[in-house]
Amino acid sequence: GQSLEQPSEVTAVEGAIVQINCTYQTSGFYGLSWYQQHDGGAPTFLSYNALDGLEETGRFSSFLSRSDSYGYLLLQELQMKDSASYFCAANSGGYQKVTFGTGTKLQVIP
Amino acid sequence: NAGVTQTPKFRILKIGQSMTLQCAQDMNHNYMYWYRQDPGMGLKLIYYSVGAGITDKGEVPNGYNVSRSTTEDFPLRLELAAPSQTSVYFCASSFGFSARDGSTDTQYFGPGTRLTVL
């Protein structure tokens, strides 16, 4: 089966840097996506890695290591509005199949 | 563009009732998905479709049915509702993968339907 593991909660201080890790076990792996979801809202896409290495998009960066079945999301210059749940999601299978992790709830404190 | 729209926003059902959750997208996406999200949990794929007339089961399809007669619409049918189906249901759409080497496939989510079965 497919499974992705993330820490359940992370707390960080405003202005700091936080890293959210994701380890996965999937067959036919294509790539790893990251989504943000605020309480009561819908998930929104943040980034995607198909190849090993770092992808940077503004304050957010995402990293993938295929050999380690591991990825992380790095959030820099944390703002209060970054308080949300963050999900990693693995794309795999012959057709478009996505398996989501259980999510990491990030709390940014002053 | 409206993006992905879902109706209704909220619904309370009695055990054994049936209903259809509506989902529509105006981005001409081939791929559409239905997920459920239980409180404090991640999203679980119920069904997905890669184009009109083509659907397939996801991780948790039991108790649900789907159809895809047009590119735009992807309704989810609940037959004989059970308390275990109390959840938030999200519909999503995407263009789909065009290559394996670095192409992205962003999923766009609707606002969700909050369903309670009593």
Side-chain angles (χ1 to χ4, degrees), chain A residues 28-31 33 35 37 40-45 48 50-51 66 87 91-92 95-103, chain B residues 31 33 35 37 40-43 45 48 50 57 59 90 94 96-97 100-107 109-111 114:
Chain A
F29 177 81
Y30 285 154
S33 302
Y35 288 80
Q37 185 180 31
T44 55
F45 174 82
Y48 173 78
L51 305 174
R66 286 174 165 268
F87 295 90
N91 297 87
S92 61
Y95 281 116
Q96 176 66 18
K97 277 195 169 185
V98 180
T99 303
F100 281 80
T102 52
Chain B
Y31 290 71
Y33 314 81
Y35 295 93
Q37 185 176 34
M41 302 297 287
L43 295 102
L45 183 64
Y48 67 100
V50 300
K57 296 177 181 178
E59 184 182 357
F90 289 103
S94 71
F97 282 122
R100 190 170 174 170
D101 55 345
S103 67
T104 63
D105 181 57
T106 302
Q107 292 198 16
F109 284 81
R114 282 152 182 78

Side-chain angles (χ1 to χ4, degrees), chain B residues 5-48:
Chain B
T5 57
Q6 292 183 239
T7 56
K9 286 186 169 54
F10 303 93
R11 184 71 186 270
I12 298 175
L13 283 181
K14 294 182 179 178
I15 294 173
Q17 286 186 319
S18 300
M19 76 165 294
T20 299
L21 282 67
Q22 300 293 343
C23 174
Q25 53 91 10
D26 61 0
M27 296 175 282
N28 202 31
H29 285 165
N30 286 325
Y31 290 71
M32 295 188 75
Y33 314 81
W34 274 106
Y35 295 93
R36 61 176 287 172
Q37 185 176 34
D38 298 333
M41 302 297 287
L43 295 102
K44 291 188 184 296
L45 183 64
I46 304 172
Y47 271 96
Y48 67 100

Side-chain angles (χ1 to χ4, degrees), chain A residues 20-69:
Chain A
I20 298 174
N21 298 321
C22 173
T23 56
Y24 60 87
Q25 287 185 317
T26 64
S27 57
F29 177 81
Y30 285 154
L32 195 69
S33 302
W34 288 92
Y35 288 80
Q36 178 191 62
Q37 185 180 31
H38 287 99
D39 283 347
T44 55
F45 174 82
L46 290 177
S47 69
Y48 173 78
N49 295 71
L51 305 174
D52 286 359
L54 194 67
E55 294 281 341
E56 297 182 70
T57 309
R59 294 188 298 114
F60 294 178
S61 302
S62 57
F63 173 82
L64 176 66
S65 169
R66 286 174 165 268
S67 60
D68 296 322
S69 298

Side-chain angles (χ1 to χ4, degrees), chain A residues 10-20 59-60 73-80 82 86 106-110:
Chain A
V10 173
T11 300
V13 177
E14 189 177 15
I17 299 172
V18 71
Q19 178 174 313
I20 298 174
R59 294 188 298 114
F60 294 178
L73 180 70
L74 193 72
L75 294 81
Q76 303 181 72
E77 300 172 15
L78 280 173
Q79 302 175 7
M80 298 301 291
D82 296 330
Y86 293 84
L106 171 65
Q107 182 181 13
V108 180
I109 57 176

